[in-house]
Amino acid sequence: NAGVTQTPKFQVLKTGQSMTLQCAQDMNHEYMSWYRQDPGMGLRLIHYSVGAGITDQGEVPNGYNVSRSTTEDFPLRLLSAAPSQTSVYFCASSQQGSTDTQYFGPGTRLTVL
Amino acid sequence: DAKTTQPPSMDCAEGRAANLPCNHSTISGNEYVYWYRQIHSQGPQYIIHGLKNNETNEMASLIITEDRKSSTLILPHATLRDTAVYYCIVKDAGGTSYGKLTFGQGTILTVHP
């Protein structure tokens, strides 16, 4: 299993541009989440999904959209990039059950100029 | 979810045990204690979790006090590769909090030769 994969690894955008960060998992996990991590800080939840077709907002959802058309994929869309969205983005997945152990991808480092 | 308090940084000599404390005085009866770590620039990695009893796995041991207001993560023989930020997270393992983690600042553990 590849686990949780994220593309791209690095991205530079200009203010106002849009883009999609890709996240995929091959573990058949129901739950998937997006976090952002700013320098020197812990991760903050952006959006999450409890299954295909179901998404909800986390702590910092503004400026981001998500959709979950398949179990495997959970893309994160930046509608109009702003410098405040410069961050490292992590995707995670977990299996429904008693442990709720989350598996994280390697991250996407995004810089908005 | 209950909040946690961790020391900002700790040092440990290679080969010695690393004992990382966490205070969670407002933990409720159905909340688990989870530990994750984040090695520089990588996605967080699950270490261990527990409810009441002490737990041990191939990576670490988790000691939870009887009143559950604090816990200690023990890395029995720390290596240089254990240098990371360690996050103690308290959360309900099910219900509406499933698939969501709330990260604090964590403890930066530095293992030195």
Side-chain angles (χ1 to χ4, degrees):
Chain A
N1 286 351
V4 179
T5 58
Q6 293 184 237
T7 56
K9 284 187 169 55
F10 301 93
Q11 183 70 49
V12 178
L13 293 177
K14 294 181 180 177
T15 297
Q17 288 185 314
S18 62
M19 79 158 294
T20 299
L21 279 63
Q22 301 292 344
C23 174
Q25 53 91 9
D26 61 359
M27 297 173 282
N28 201 33
H29 285 172
E30 295 94 344
Y31 290 82
M32 295 186 74
S33 310
W34 275 103
Y35 297 84
R36 62 176 287 175
Q37 185 173 33
D38 299 324
M41 297 183 65
L43 283 72
R44 291 183 293 168
L45 182 66
I46 304 172
H47 285 285
Y48 65 99
S49 169
V50 301
I54 306 170
T55 64
D56 206 345
Q57 297 181 351
E59 182 186 357
V60 288
N62 292 339
Y64 308 95
N65 272 0
V66 293
S67 60
R68 184 97 178 270
S69 57
T70 67
T71 300
E72 295 78 18
D73 301 299
F74 191 41
L76 178 72
R77 281 181 288 275
L78 280 70
L79 308 174
S80 177
S84 60
Q85 294 179 303
T86 293
S87 190
V88 182
Y89 291 83
F90 291 101
C91 179
S93 72
S94 60
Q95 175 84 32
Q96 185 174 12
S98 63
T99 64
D100 194 18
T101 299
Q102 294 206 18
Y103 296 84
F104 285 81
T108 294
R109 189 173 298 272
L110 175 68
T111 300
V112 183
L113 302 176
Chain B
D1 294 334
K3 292 186 178 179
T4 62
T5 303
Q6 299 178 251
S9 64
M10 294 184 66
D11 288 333
C12 178
E14 190 176 20
R16 306 297 290 266
N19 298 282
L20 289 87
C22 180
N23 286 326
H24 32 79
S25 59
T26 59
I27 191 171
S28 61
N30 62 343
E31 289 181 320
Y32 287 72
V33 179
Y34 289 79
W35 283 85
Y36 283 77
R37 73 179 182 183
Q38 186 176 24
I39 296 170
H40 181 62
S41 297
Q42 299 181 20
Q45 175 190 24
Y46 166 82
I47 301 173
I48 198 167
H49 77 285
L51 182 63
K52 294 180 182 178
N53 300 323
N54 298 338
E55 302 288 343
T56 296
N57 63 20
E58 64 277 5
M59 289 183 67
S61 295
L62 175 60
I63 308 298
I64 302 174
T65 58
E66 192 169 345
D67 63 7
R68 301 208 327 123
K69 293 185 177 181
S70 66
S71 60
T72 301
L73 177 74
I74 301 173
L75 307 179
H77 305 287
T79 70
L80 298 178
R81 287 173 295 183
D82 291 321
T83 293
V85 180
Y86 287 78
Y87 296 100
C88 171
I89 299 169
V90 171
K91 71 182 291 293
D92 185 346
T96 58
S97 67
Y98 207 95
K100 296 182 280 186
L101 293 173
T102 300
F103 288 82
Q105 300 281 16
T107 296
I108 300 172
L109 175 68
T110 303
V111 181
H112 50 84

